[in-house]
Amino acid sequence: ENEHGARFGGSLGTAPESVEEMDKIVGKGERFQLGRAMLFRPFENVPGVDKPFKSFPIGRGGRNIGMMKAKIGFIEVDKPSIDTRTLFRPSPRRYTIRCYVLQAWGLASIALDEATGRMKKPNPYLTIKCGPTTISDRSNGHNTVDSAEFYRCFELTTTLPSAKGGTILEVIVNNKHSHVDDDDVIGSTKIDLLDRYYSTTWQKV
């Protein structure tokens, strides 16, 4: 982690206040980023962020087949049991999720240009997944760039809480080839919607 990651990723309240300051971090200042905290690590790993659940992988035959989320605590024997209805919101509800993807930089070159013998810059585009929903933005992809300005908003619905996989939002950067079947993945990230939904820190952002 670099010095900027330590500075801007360590606190939600610290953010660049000038384009010049932003230039030192990502190489190109954008006014919409001014005053916004920049996190160079997952939100859940930022010091001070509350983690509403513990996550436990579920395995079978040496394979990971799922994940269990739970709140675990201890109470004295003579104390009344905790009413779980006070810990969680009532029955599952449908929510609209809006995912804003602004920029990507430092995208890896993953294809060799046989004519020059050099690695080619990718043709990046976005794919968004949440539960059974998949949104491909291939038609709005970029050509031959290692930094892309997407500025795209994706809207989908999901149920929280849910045991059907609709609590994980996955943002994938794909590399476009001549045929869609040949497209490959440059990189991806997963956002745990359930943890953020119940996080008091996230609700204040």
Side-chain angles (χ1 to χ4, degrees):
E1 182 175 84
N2 60 28
E3 59 177 327
H4 301 299
R7 179 183 177 190
F8 292 102
S11 169
L12 290 178
T14 306
E17 298 296 338
S18 68
V19 173
E20 292 74 21
E21 192 173 14
M22 180 66 69
D23 285 340
K24 296 177 182 179
I25 306 171
V26 297
K28 180 181 180 182
E30 296 287 356
R31 295 192 179 279
F32 69 84
Q33 293 173 314
L34 298 182
R36 295 171 179 259
M38 293 202 63
L39 306 181
F40 287 84
R41 68 182 81 175
F43 177 82
E44 290 78 9
N45 294 342
V46 174
V49 171
D50 69 308
K51 298 177 177 63
F53 302 105
K54 291 289 186 181
S55 297
F56 302 90
I58 300 174
R60 182 175 63 190
R63 296 185 300 110
N64 186 4
I65 61 172
M67 182 72 67
M68 180 184 73
K69 287 183 175 291
K71 272 182 175 288
I72 299 177
F74 298 90
I75 59 173
E76 297 179 16
V77 175
D78 59 345
K79 297 292 183 181
S81 298
I82 297 175
D83 184 355
T84 56
R85 290 174 299 181
T86 66
L87 296 178
F88 307 108
R89 291 178 173 83
S91 57
R93 297 171 56 186
R94 295 288 288 175
Y95 291 90
T96 296
I97 308 300
R98 292 191 182 96
C99 175
Y100 297 89
V101 183
L102 305 180
Q103 300 170 320
W105 58 86
L107 299 175
S109 299
I110 56 178
L112 180 67
D113 187 336
E114 296 181 357
T116 64
R118 299 178 180 179
M119 297 300 290
K120 295 188 295 185
K121 292 182 179 180
N123 304 313
Y125 70 93
L126 298 169
T127 300
I128 310 297
K129 293 184 177 181
C130 186
T133 303
T134 298
I135 302 174
S136 174
D137 201 38
R138 193 175 191 271
S139 61
N140 291 303
H142 297 255
N143 294 318
T144 321
V145 296
D146 53 15
S147 295
E149 298 184 351
F150 292 112
Y151 300 109
R152 301 289 292 163
C153 173
F154 304 92
E155 185 172 298
L156 53 143
T157 58
T158 191
T159 300
L160 295 176
S162 170
K164 297 181 179 180
T167 64
I168 301 295
L169 177 69
E170 185 174 10
V171 180
I172 305 169
V173 181
N174 295 99
N175 182 35
K176 180 172 59 178
H177 292 279
S178 300
H179 302 285
V180 65
D181 292 341
D182 296 329
D183 292 356
D184 40 28
V185 175
I186 299 174
S188 65
T189 188
K190 294 182 179 180
I191 300 170
D192 192 316
L193 300 176
L194 194 62
D195 276 356
R196 298 196 179 194
Y197 179 70
Y198 285 104
S199 168
T200 56
T201 310
W202 175 258
Q203 292 171 7
K204 294 176 182 178
V205 173

